[in-house]
Amino acid sequence: MNRILTLFFVTILVFSCKNTDEKQNITDKKHSETVSTPITAIVIHGGAGTILKENMTDSLEKAYKTKLEEAVTKGHEILKSGGSATEAVVETLTILEDSPLFNAGKGAVFTHDETNEMDASIMDGSNLNAGAVAGVMHIKNPIRLAFEVMENSPHVLLSGRGAERFAQARNFQLVPPSYFYTENRFQSLQKVKKKESNQTAFVDPSIKDSKFGTVGCVALDQNGNIAAGTSTGGMTNKRWNRIGDSPLIGAGTYANNKTCGVSSTGWGEYFIRGMVAHDISAMMEYKGVSLQEASEEVIQKKIPALGGDGGIVALDKEGNIAMEFNTAGMYRAYINTEGELYIGIYKE
Amino acid sequence: MNRILTLFFVTILVFSCKNTDEKQNITDKKHSETVSTPITAIVIHGGAGTILKENMTDSLEKAYKTKLEEAVTKGHEILKSGGSATEAVVETLTILEDSPLFNAGKGAVFTHDETNEMDASIMDGSNLNAGAVAGVMHIKNPIRLAFEVMENSPHVLLSGRGAERFAQARNFQLVPPSYFYTENRFQSLQKVKKKESNQTAFVDPSIKDSKFGTVGCVALDQNGNIAAGTSTGGMTNKRWNRIGDSPLIGAGTYANNKTCGVSSTGWGEYFIRGMVAHDISAMMEYKGVSLQEASEEVIQKKIPALGGDGGIVALDKEGNIAMEFNTAGMYRAYINTEGELYIGIYKE
């Protein structure tokens, strides 16, 4: 009897010690089953930061929720009607870029020089193709230009005037800087500049207090393809053609059908140093943890340990959704595989 | 007897199934022992590409080897005399930038518009701090400006004119574009432009044939700190203020004392999509593989699977060195923990 028990124990151990190749096979099988099931999911953010209920009016809160719902519903409709994840990301982010509520497109914050310099990126998890633009000043929808770079250039990242020359060659209309003027953002810049009195030219204490209003979207389409995209005006009062994490693949945006898609928002410098979007994917791929575990580890431990703050939205190939942030709030919404709509602003 | 054998078998299995936390402890112990041993190591590259013996003259080969030896020896002397890994990286890369042999600083290739737009980045593995510049046109040593961004700005990545305004504010002398003129690189541009006859404005078939001459350095200092840096003129005939992988943390450059430091060279777009430098580190951190295994997996399997080519140099916290490339050759050199000098150009 003892011998039988021991053998039973051995058998269990042998099975629990199966090599990773076999685990991979099991995962691959699951994946191909997933691909054949027409599930869809979409998750978006409109920035993380010091977003507190006591600083919010009912009408403003309603305006945010309405716009988040409009955007996520648009993306979901595209997915439901068989559209691709990249299409859903572009169309969803276009709605958020066109709203002055968010720091992207119309509503982009002002630089130190009172200009608007916008960044955006998109990644297609089916082939790891990617496109991004940094520091564009005359592009109504930077996410559409990022998509164009991905689809119709041999490059991943174009910047400044060069990116706009590419846009013109691809028949994008340039818009005048006045399109991006919003009184609200302009006054924010003046306020930040006033605070600077004690500042050297090289360290900007106001960064920590800047609102982050980056927008992002991750979608899973009926073919099992994941795409992620991010768009931003960057940080109020930014200088020296600073580029943040939003246009950087692996930092602000990452998508890989094998693991997940991620869009980041927060203090970009820390998200670059932490390689946030790729780190979550790598932790899933190499450590075998879930999307939620990886997202928590990166956003609640690794980024705060560096001194940074912000958040991410993400989803995996099974449509599981993660929305993780270490700030007071993050504008966010999803429609999951069950078709359930969720909209959130504050911590819960 | 059978029962004893079975129990013995169980014991072995139990040990082989030890959880990863325990493995981590063992690694941590090793690490603290390593830190107290004053070992140093340094590895550099001067670009990977179609570098073939039959296309090389003896005198040119000698010139490359002499310059690689000068650079790696300089960095090694700094490390041996107790200098930091970041200092070794900056001084070593400055020598390579100042040589017209390499595509960085003096010797940078020409853009489509007959300008020189240079990128550089550096990362300090002790604190994950990083600095980078993209598209600078008047900076003699872009790696020094990247270091300045890391040390004396709240940002990671500055670009174009803004990066140069920052440089001026930090008392860098700007040099005229003529400083970067080399007849050799200018003729390369003319040759590539001639080849373009059949080309649309948006897909550049000459990219695949462009020489990659990016320079990079990874160093391990006596305090156990790893730093990595990369500098480049990008690709001949590049347009639209294209930014490659060299100034991008996680793609062209990554350093983390916990794992390794990496500098990449090759077809930048694929190195961004593959997140090459961070992927090697993540594979070591989460999968527990060696630097050599991770480097081979990424450079010999993952990047070719995407369609890209190039190589990396890297070292880990124990001073193990990896120099992996999937092209015909890569200019490279190291001085390892034993003080042995190695210089290589072709495949071996």
Side-chain angles (χ1 to χ4, degrees):
Chain A
M1 185 59 195
N2 257 358
R3 189 173 296 177
I4 290 166
L5 270 176
T6 314
L7 276 170
F8 179 71
F9 187 42
V10 168
T11 313
I12 283 170
L13 272 165
V14 167
F15 271 85
S16 73
C17 287
K18 274 189 160 203
N19 70 42
T20 46
D21 280 354
E22 287 180 50
K23 274 188 196 153
Q24 192 56 47
N25 286 340
I26 293 164
T27 314
D28 287 349
K29 263 186 216 156
K30 252 193 206 163
H31 183 51
S32 51
E33 278 159 24
T34 307
V35 169
S36 63
T37 319
I39 58 166
T40 68
I42 181 165
V43 60
I44 64 175
H45 69 76
T50 315
I51 307 164
L52 295 166
K53 181 96 183 155
E54 55 262 38
N55 299 335
M56 185 75 87
T57 63
D58 285 351
S59 66
L60 190 58
E61 188 176 303
K62 201 181 159 201
Y64 273 111
K65 287 187 169 177
T66 304
K67 192 52 77 175
L68 288 167
E69 182 172 347
E70 180 192 340
V72 79
T73 303
K74 173 75 179 175
H76 185 246
E77 282 166 4
I78 291 168
L79 297 170
K80 274 295 167 197
S81 63
S84 70
T86 51
E87 190 195 344
V89 166
V90 169
E91 296 305 326
T92 301
L93 289 183
T94 294
I95 290 173
L96 298 175
E97 284 180 338
D98 287 345
S99 163
L101 289 170
F102 305 98
N103 172 19
K106 179 86 183 169
V109 298
F110 282 86
T111 69
H112 186 74
D113 298 329
E114 305 190 349
T115 60
N116 309 94
E117 290 178 7
M118 289 156 288
D119 306 328
S121 64
I122 187 166
M123 187 160 187
D124 180 343
S126 71
N127 52 18
L128 305 187
N129 207 350
V133 293
V136 294
M137 298 169 73
H138 304 86
I139 304 296
K140 187 169 177 276
N141 292 110
I143 193 65
R144 290 186 180 276
L145 186 54
F147 180 77
E148 194 71 21
V149 171
M150 176 168 81
E151 295 293 300
N152 291 303
S153 91
H155 300 305
V156 170
L157 177 54
L158 303 182
S159 63
R161 300 296 301 184
E164 297 189 344
R165 284 199 301 274
F166 170 76
Q168 286 179 290
R170 297 296 301 172
N171 299 318
F172 277 62
Q173 294 294 316
L174 300 196
V175 296
S178 59
Y179 169 77
F180 300 102
Y181 185 90
T182 54
E183 185 60 22
N184 185 22
R185 299 297 189 194
F186 191 74
Q187 290 311 324
S188 294
L189 174 66
Q190 305 313 320
K191 228 166 98 185
V192 170
K193 278 189 167 181
K194 263 189 201 157
K195 275 196 203 162
E196 286 190 317
S197 48
N198 281 337
Q199 185 201 326
T200 74
F202 310 113
V203 182
D204 186 345
S206 65
I207 283 183
K208 183 86 186 167
D209 302 322
S210 304
K211 280 275 188 346
F212 316 124
T214 300
V215 300
C217 176
V218 190
L220 169 70
D221 68 26
Q222 294 186 19
N223 292 317
N225 293 326
I226 298 172
T230 309
S231 180
T232 192
M235 278 175 166
T236 299
N237 200 33
K238 71 181 175 185
R239 301 167 198 225
W240 308 309
N241 301 130
R242 171 254 190 191
I243 297 176
D245 64 319
S246 300
L248 303 185
I249 298 306
T253 298
Y254 188 75
N256 189 334
N257 279 6
K258 279 169 72 178
T259 51
C260 63
V262 182
S263 169
S264 309
T265 172
W267 194 342
E269 276 70 12
Y270 292 92
F271 278 61
I272 298 173
R273 293 167 55 197
M275 277 286 105
V276 164
H278 184 257
D279 201 27
I280 291 171
S281 169
M283 216 179 275
M284 291 176 69
E285 183 173 358
Y286 301 133
K287 216 174 168 180
V289 301
S290 71
L291 175 69
Q292 185 56 41
E293 285 171 302
S295 301
E296 274 182 37
E297 176 73 20
V298 170
I299 295 300
Q300 306 301 352
K301 292 186 187 163
K302 294 178 91 168
I303 287 297
L306 286 176
D309 57 359
I312 57 98
V313 296
L315 55 73
D316 67 16
K317 60 193 175 187
E318 277 143 22
N320 298 307
I321 285 168
M323 303 182 300
E324 204 60 40
F325 54 99
N326 57 37
T327 49
M330 179 169 77
Y331 300 109
R332 61 200 187 276
Y334 68 67
I335 298 179
N336 65 15
T337 54
E338 308 296 316
E340 293 161 349
L341 169 72
Y342 166 89
I343 303 173
I345 297 181
Y346 317 105
K347 261 197 188 135
E348 272 160 11
Chain B
M1 186 58 195
N2 257 358
R3 189 174 297 176
I4 290 168
L5 270 176
T6 313
L7 277 170
F8 179 71
F9 187 42
V10 168
T11 313
I12 283 172
L13 272 166
V14 167
F15 272 85
S16 73
C17 287
K18 273 189 161 203
N19 70 40
T20 47
D21 281 355
E22 286 180 51
K23 275 190 194 149
Q24 192 55 48
N25 286 340
I26 294 165
T27 315
D28 287 350
K29 261 186 215 155
K30 251 193 206 162
H31 183 50
S32 50
E33 278 158 24
T34 307
V35 169
S36 63
T37 319
I39 58 166
T40 69
I42 182 165
V43 59
I44 65 175
H45 69 75
T50 315
I51 307 164
L52 295 167
K53 181 95 182 155
E54 55 262 37
N55 301 334
M56 185 76 87
T57 63
D58 285 351
S59 66
L60 190 58
E61 188 176 301
K62 201 180 158 201
Y64 272 111
K65 287 187 169 177
T66 304
K67 190 52 76 176
L68 288 167
E69 181 171 346
E70 179 192 340
V72 79
T73 303
K74 173 74 178 177
H76 184 247
E77 282 166 3
I78 290 168
L79 297 169
K80 274 295 166 198
S81 63
S84 70
T86 52
E87 190 194 343
V89 166
V90 170
E91 297 305 326
T92 301
L93 289 183
T94 294
I95 290 173
L96 298 176
E97 284 180 338
D98 288 346
S99 163
L101 289 171
F102 304 98
N103 173 19
K106 179 86 182 169
V109 298
F110 282 87
T111 68
H112 185 75
D113 298 329
E114 305 190 349
T115 60
N116 309 94
E117 289 180 7
M118 289 157 287
D119 306 329
S121 64
I122 187 166
M123 188 161 187
D124 180 343
S126 71
N127 52 19
L128 305 187
N129 208 350
V133 292
V136 295
M137 298 170 73
H138 305 86
I139 304 295
K140 186 168 178 277
N141 292 109
I143 192 65
R144 290 187 181 276
L145 185 55
F147 180 77
E148 194 71 20
V149 171
M150 175 169 81
E151 294 294 299
N152 290 303
S153 92
H155 300 306
V156 169
L157 177 54
L158 303 182
S159 62
R161 300 297 302 183
E164 297 189 344
R165 284 199 301 275
F166 170 75
Q168 285 178 291
R170 297 298 300 172
N171 299 318
F172 276 62
Q173 294 294 318
L174 300 196
V175 296
S178 60
Y179 169 78
F180 300 101
Y181 185 90
T182 54
E183 185 59 23
N184 186 21
R185 300 297 189 194
F186 191 73
Q187 290 312 324
S188 295
L189 174 66
Q190 304 314 320
K191 229 166 98 184
V192 170
K193 280 190 168 182
K194 263 189 201 158
K195 275 196 205 163
E196 286 189 317
S197 50
N198 281 337
Q199 185 200 325
T200 74
F202 310 112
V203 182
D204 185 344
S206 65
I207 283 183
K208 182 85 187 169
D209 302 323
S210 304
K211 280 276 189 345
F212 317 124
T214 301
V215 300
C217 176
V218 189
L220 169 70
D221 68 27
Q222 294 186 19
N223 293 316
N225 293 326
I226 298 171
T230 310
S231 180
T232 192
M235 279 177 166
T236 300
N237 200 33
K238 72 181 173 184
R239 301 165 198 227
W240 308 309
N241 301 132
R242 172 253 190 191
I243 297 176
D245 64 319
S246 300
L248 302 186
I249 299 305
T253 298
Y254 188 76
N256 188 334
N257 280 5
K258 279 170 71 178
T259 51
C260 63
V262 182
S263 170
S264 308
T265 172
W267 194 343
E269 276 70 12
Y270 292 92
F271 278 61
I272 299 173
R273 293 166 55 197
M275 278 285 106
V276 164
H278 184 258
D279 201 27
I280 292 172
S281 169
M283 217 179 274
M284 290 176 69
E285 182 173 359
Y286 301 133
K287 215 175 169 180
V289 301
S290 71
L291 175 68
Q292 185 57 39
E293 286 171 302
S295 301
E296 274 182 36
E297 177 73 19
V298 171
I299 295 300
Q300 306 301 352
K301 291 185 187 163
K302 294 178 90 168
I303 288 297
L306 285 176
D309 57 359
I312 58 100
V313 296
L315 55 73
D316 66 17
K317 60 193 175 188
E318 278 144 22
N320 298 307
I321 285 168
M323 303 181 300
E324 204 60 40
F325 54 99
N326 56 37
T327 49
M330 179 168 78
Y331 300 108
R332 59 200 188 275
Y334 68 66
I335 298 179
N336 65 14
T337 53
E338 308 296 316
E340 294 160 348
L341 169 72
Y342 166 90
I343 303 172
I345 297 181
Y346 317 104
K347 261 197 189 137
E348 272 161 10

